[in-house]
């Protein structure tokens, strides 16, 4: 939700139409175009998925059952978590495409981050880590190295954002590494409880919950100055009293911001 006291259904539809037009017009270059006197960068097209057998969490689970792919295999665990992250990140304004595969050069998801009050979306590349052990600062260094193999349009030192999604909280070492990195980087913890059957993914609220979001100063300078976080308890006040699950939501200028409600693709 764009933070505004006069926010209406019409303004949400206008934002949806803007994003729809942004991706439907031809992508030829990153040549700036003028829009009401403001320079806007025409985004590069997001590369197509390397796998034509699946393009979402639900289609991957169906593909895995059809091919008898073991749920314990690294391919199953990694791919499934990538799609879970892709789905969860829509709630934070990310429009992404899975690019992970055998020759992904360390990039699992690629796309753009639509933030309020900036004239163009920020290019983002995402690494997804389904960790069983504690997260270490080496993950941040690996993310930085992934930019070397990023497509044209995702390499800018001051605008391209690196996002690390993991099933574990950021340790002190990770937080310090994020802070020191000389380019925009965001750490997001997305839960994935292994003991829940995959067939009920969409029915379990704690699967895919976002429980930690942190970023460095370079991210703020790239266009996220108004960004903040807020804890929300499932079940409202009753949920707080009962000690129920909590998740993190983004705020913009102090007000809860829910970009998924604007009509972004939910497929």
């Amino acid at each position: 939700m764009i933070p505004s006291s006069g926010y209406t259904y019409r303004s949400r539809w206008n934002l949806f139409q803007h994003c729809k037009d942004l991706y439907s017009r031809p992508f030829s270059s990153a040549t700036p175009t003028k829009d009401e006197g403001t320079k806007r960068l025409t985004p590069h097209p997001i590369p197509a998925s390397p796998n034509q057998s699946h393009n979402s969490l639900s289609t991957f689970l169906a593909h895995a059952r059809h091919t008898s792919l073991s749920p314990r295999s690294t391919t199953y665990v990694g791919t499934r978590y990538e799609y879970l992250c892709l789905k969860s990140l829509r709630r934070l304004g990310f429009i992404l495409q899975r690019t992970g595969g055998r020759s992904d050069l360390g990039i699992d998801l690629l796309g753009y981050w639509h933030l309020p009050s900036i004239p163009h979306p920020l290019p983002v590349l995402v690494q997804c880590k389904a960790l069983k052990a504690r997260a270490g600062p080496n993950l941040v260094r690996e993310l930085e190295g992934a930019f070397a193999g990023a497509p044209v349009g995702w390499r800018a030192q001051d605008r391209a954002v690196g996002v690390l999604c993991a099933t574990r909280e950021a340790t002190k070492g990770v937080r310090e590494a994020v802070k020191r990195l000389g380019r925009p980087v965001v750490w997001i913890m997305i839960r994935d409880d292994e003991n829940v059957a995959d067939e009920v993914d969409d029915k379990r609220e704690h699967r895919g919950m976002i429980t930690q979001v942190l970023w460095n100063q370079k991210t703020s300078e790239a266009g996220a100055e108004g960004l903040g976080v807020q804890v929300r308890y499932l079940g409202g006040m009753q949920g707080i009293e009962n000690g129920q699950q909590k998740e993190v939501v983004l705020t913009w200028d102090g007000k809860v911001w829910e970009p998924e409600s604007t009509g972004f693709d939910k497929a």
Side-chain angles (χ1 to χ4, degrees), residues 251-262:
T251 63
W252 191 266
D253 290 339
K255 298 181 181 179
V256 174
W257 174 53
E258 296 179 299
E260 190 178 36
S261 66
T262 63

Side-chain angles (χ1 to χ4, degrees), residues 26 33 63 67 76 78 84 124 153 157 183 208 231 242:
T33 59
H63 170 75
T67 59
Y76 182 99
L84 183 65
V124 296
Q157 181 77 18
R183 68 182 313 138
V231 175
N242 296 337

Side-chain angles (χ1 to χ4, degrees), residues 42-103:
T42 303
H44 288 264
I46 303 175
S49 172
N51 196 310
Q52 303 302 315
S53 301
H54 46 81
N55 57 13
S56 65
L57 180 58
S58 59
T59 57
F60 170 70
L61 295 177
H63 170 75
R65 289 191 293 268
H66 179 71
T67 59
S68 300
L69 181 63
S70 172
R72 292 181 174 82
S73 68
T74 55
T75 298
Y76 182 99
V77 173
T79 304
R80 186 183 150 285
Y81 187 62
E82 289 167 11
Y83 278 128
L84 183 65
C85 291
L86 186 153
K87 183 177 180 180
S88 297
L89 289 173
R90 290 191 186 123
R91 302 200 299 272
L92 304 186
F94 291 89
I95 303 299
L96 302 164
Q97 172 74 52
R98 179 179 176 269
T99 58
R102 293 182 179 179
S103 56

Side-chain angles (χ1 to χ4, degrees), residues 111-251:
Y112 293 96
W113 193 9
H114 294 261
L115 294 170
S117 304
I118 62 174
H120 47 263
L122 297 176
V124 296
L125 64 82
V126 184
Q127 287 188 337
C128 306
K129 305 292 184 180
L131 304 173
K132 293 185 178 180
R134 292 181 62 192
N138 61 297
L139 297 179
V140 180
R141 293 191 293 270
E142 292 175 9
L143 176 67
E144 184 178 23
F147 280 96
V152 174
W154 280 269
R155 301 176 188 171
Q157 181 77 18
D158 59 339
R159 291 194 68 251
V161 181
V163 179
L164 261 171
C165 296
T167 52
R168 301 283 181 171
E169 287 189 0
T171 60
K172 180 180 179 180
V174 168
R175 293 194 296 270
E176 291 177 349
V178 167
K179 183 178 179 180
R180 290 195 304 266
L181 200 63
R183 68 182 313 138
V185 62
V186 180
W187 175 279
I188 302 175
M189 179 181 172
I190 300 179
R191 287 187 56 179
D192 180 22
D193 294 315
E194 299 176 357
N195 296 327
V196 180
D198 292 310
E199 289 77 4
V200 294
D201 261 5
D202 295 332
K203 299 179 181 179
R204 300 303 293 265
E205 291 180 326
H206 55 287
R207 173 157 281 181
M209 281 179 53
I210 298 169
T211 55
Q212 184 184 47
V213 182
L214 56 90
W215 58 91
N216 61 1
Q217 180 60 32
K218 291 293 184 180
T219 303
S220 297
E221 294 171 0
E225 285 287 356
L227 200 64
V229 295
Q230 179 176 310
V231 175
R232 177 168 60 188
Y233 288 84
L234 300 181
M237 291 302 297
Q238 184 178 0
I240 297 177
E241 296 171 359
N242 296 337
Q244 292 183 3
Q245 299 290 343
K246 61 183 179 179
E247 63 178 349
V248 167
V249 295
L250 293 183
T251 63

